[in-house]
Amino acid sequence: MKLGIIGLAKSGKTTVFNALTRGSASTTASGLTDPNIGIAKVPDTRLNVLVEIFNPKKITQAEVYYIDVPATPEGLGQDHGISGKYLNELQTTDALVLVVRAFENPSVPHVSTNVDPSRDLDTLLIELNLSDVVILERRLSKLDAETKGANTAERTRIGKEHKFLESIRQNLGQGIAIKDQNINQADLAQLSVFQLLTAKPLLVLINIGEEQLVDAQQLENELNNQIERSGISCIAMCARLEEELTSMDEEEEKTFRESLGAGESAYGKVIQSSYELLGLVSFLTVGPDEVRAWTISDNTGAAQAAGKIHSDIERGFIRAETVSYHDLVTSGSMTDAKRKGLVRSEGRTYLVKDGDVINFLFNV
Ligand SMILES: Nc1nc2c(ncn2[C@@H]2O[C@H](COP(=O)(O)OP(=O)(O)OP(=O)(O)O)[C@@H](O)[C@H]2O)c(=O)[nH]1
Ligand SMILES: [Mg+2]
């Protein structure tokens, strides 16, 4: 599962990428180079608590991938949608992080005249919309061409698809994203081949300057109110600060944050939101060797979840000894949780919940 980081030129995309993935991609690179791909560890305070109980040799966090796609030479925001290699990269992502610039930096002039996050957000949303319109129009023209010389049965099929795509295109023309068009599952499946950008879940990251940390909440509220698309949240983060903090150890970072009034880590909030945006949850495994978070889609059955650990466990699945994180922690140990009857024995179709601590029994 990967998220594409997208934004106008010099909005801080690569800085955001570095902050999230603790990477060190060059922020000076410009022009169409290869995208940066990196892994971010999903912060999960539950793991820290479980480590206290089990004292394992190893801790493994869940992960998400981010991809920082370099802007095309002409840049985004030119009102002709997104195209070419840039579009292809974005189409392969599962969700998008839109970076809008709120920071002032005289040595890095804004691509247009002034810094205006609200205007840039509009521009980006329009670009996404437009790029979907262009894709659909191309398909519609192709269908028009196919009608010529088609037999009756083919004409009916073509006509049906044409009507369907045309209605979607018209809604996009009204500014309604695919995600907001109330399209049923079967139709969405039909649309999925086009990998449309407004069908993807979206997170807006307002890239603020150090001096704007105190205004973070207000900025978030302002942009949240502006967005007409449903289910999008805006998070303010000072990417440059978060990038600097990645080189510090935990104690240093904490002191530094407090001295700046930077609050809890915004980068953690962004990664967690990304995880939720992708519809992912974690089940946990514990023991003296390892405490670990495993990634599954929400509503995954127990046997399939077991397959994340090893295909043998899925194949030879017997049952899943399951206790909720909360029950385990309040019991203090696995033995006590069992004694209290809080450890359930679940079958292969049990839908695993976020925070379930599971021990799979299997036989191969
Ligand atoms: N003052 C300040 N400068 C920032 C902040 N975030 C990024 N910058 C600076 O802005 C410049 C551009 O940042 P990048 O991360 O390269 O932006 P980008 O969107 O990846 O740029 P392109 O890939 O060239 O489009 C760099 O010099 C950053 O150091 C910030 O929060 N505050
Ligand atoms: Mg960049």
Side-chain angles (χ1 to χ4, degrees):
M1 288 291 211
K2 76 180 180 213
L3 296 107
I5 299 174
I6 167 177
L8 298 184
K10 303 294 167 211
S11 54
K13 301 178 294 294
T14 305
T15 312
V16 166
F17 172 83
N18 284 338
L20 298 180
T21 63
R22 312 219 139 203
S24 51
S26 161
T27 54
T28 49
S30 255
L32 200 58
T33 48
D34 284 334
N36 299 309
I37 300 173
I39 297 174
K41 306 257 181 226
V42 182
D44 190 337
T45 48
R46 296 174 301 194
L47 293 180
N48 306 346
V49 176
L50 292 173
V51 163
E52 299 279 310
I53 299 177
F54 293 93
N55 199 20
K57 294 193 196 91
K58 193 174 161 202
I59 314 158
T60 308
Q61 292 168 269
E63 295 170 341
V64 282
Y65 287 82
Y66 287 95
I67 157 170
D68 164 33
V69 192
T72 50
E74 68 272 24
L76 273 180
Q78 309 292 319
D79 294 337
H80 44 53
I82 302 164
S83 55
K85 186 177 176 226
Y86 189 77
L87 175 62
N88 295 343
E89 294 287 356
L90 290 178
Q91 283 183 306
T92 65
T93 62
D94 302 290
L96 300 174
V97 177
L98 242 65
V99 178
V100 291
R101 172 171 174 172
F103 68 87
E104 297 279 356
N105 184 340
S107 57
V108 185
H110 188 281
V111 278
S112 47
T113 43
N114 61 328
V115 172
D116 183 346
S118 158
R119 175 203 57 209
D120 291 353
L121 176 58
D122 267 343
T123 305
L124 288 166
L125 292 175
I126 291 169
E127 289 277 19
L128 295 179
N129 209 307
L130 217 59
S131 105
D132 284 355
V133 169
V134 171
I135 293 171
L136 289 180
E137 280 177 348
R138 206 174 301 140
R139 176 66 184 164
L140 286 164
S141 310
K142 197 149 173 261
L143 290 174
D144 284 338
E146 278 177 23
T147 329
K148 294 166 196 142
N151 64 31
T152 318
E154 282 163 356
R155 268 171 199 261
T156 313
R157 178 192 58 79
I158 293 169
K160 242 175 101 180
E161 184 180 345
H162 199 286
K163 191 164 166 238
F164 169 58
L165 296 185
E166 179 56 33
S167 75
I168 307 260
R169 189 190 69 87
Q170 282 187 13
N171 285 334
L172 281 168
Q174 311 271 328
I176 309 169
I178 305 276
K179 252 193 149 335
D180 286 342
Q181 291 193 24
N182 286 324
I183 304 169
N184 67 41
Q185 285 299 324
D187 287 346
L188 273 180
Q190 197 188 333
L191 275 183
S192 66
V193 290
F194 302 112
Q195 300 179 298
L196 299 169
L197 298 184
T198 68
K200 295 182 193 295
L202 201 71
L203 180 76
V204 174
L205 196 155
I206 312 161
N207 189 13
I208 54 174
E210 288 86 339
E211 69 292 346
Q212 291 169 300
L213 284 165
V214 284
D215 306 322
Q217 185 67 52
Q218 195 196 335
L219 267 166
E220 285 178 4
N221 293 347
E222 276 172 24
L223 290 200
N224 267 323
N225 289 337
Q226 177 189 335
I227 299 182
E228 283 171 14
R229 274 183 63 175
S230 60
I232 301 180
S233 51
C234 300
I235 303 179
M237 173 173 115
C238 178
R240 200 157 77 167
L241 171 71
E242 296 290 341
E243 186 189 33
E244 275 169 32
L245 291 182
T246 59
S247 59
M248 295 186 183
D249 68 34
E250 229 172 281
E251 254 334 283
E252 259 182 321
E253 179 181 335
K254 200 162 159 251
T255 322
F256 199 64
R257 265 183 209 288
E258 278 163 10
S259 70
L260 281 168
E264 61 163 322
S265 85
Y267 94 92
K269 208 163 127 191
V270 172
I271 299 171
Q272 260 158 356
S273 302
S274 303
Y275 202 59
E276 283 165 28
L277 198 64
L278 292 168
L280 301 175
V281 297
S282 299
F283 73 86
L284 312 166
T285 53
V286 294
D289 289 330
E290 188 181 31
V291 161
R292 178 164 182 165
W294 299 85
T295 301
I296 48 169
S297 305
D298 208 359
N299 283 319
T300 297
Q304 206 189 335
K308 294 281 169 188
I309 302 178
H310 201 287
S311 56
D312 281 352
I313 312 183
E314 180 171 4
R315 200 155 43 86
F317 181 93
I318 301 171
R319 62 175 192 272
E321 284 184 345
T322 308
V323 56
S324 75
Y325 164 79
H326 178 261
D327 284 348
L328 173 58
V329 169
T330 47
S331 303
S333 74
M334 196 56 95
T335 321
D336 282 345
K338 275 188 184 152
R339 197 177 304 129
K340 288 185 189 163
L342 295 171
V343 180
R344 291 165 272 129
S345 181
E346 301 286 5
R348 36 186 327 121
T349 57
Y350 164 74
L351 296 182
V352 175
K353 293 184 186 55
D354 185 44
D356 275 350
V357 180
I358 305 185
N359 176 33
F360 290 106
L361 302 182
F362 67 105
N363 183 12
V364 283

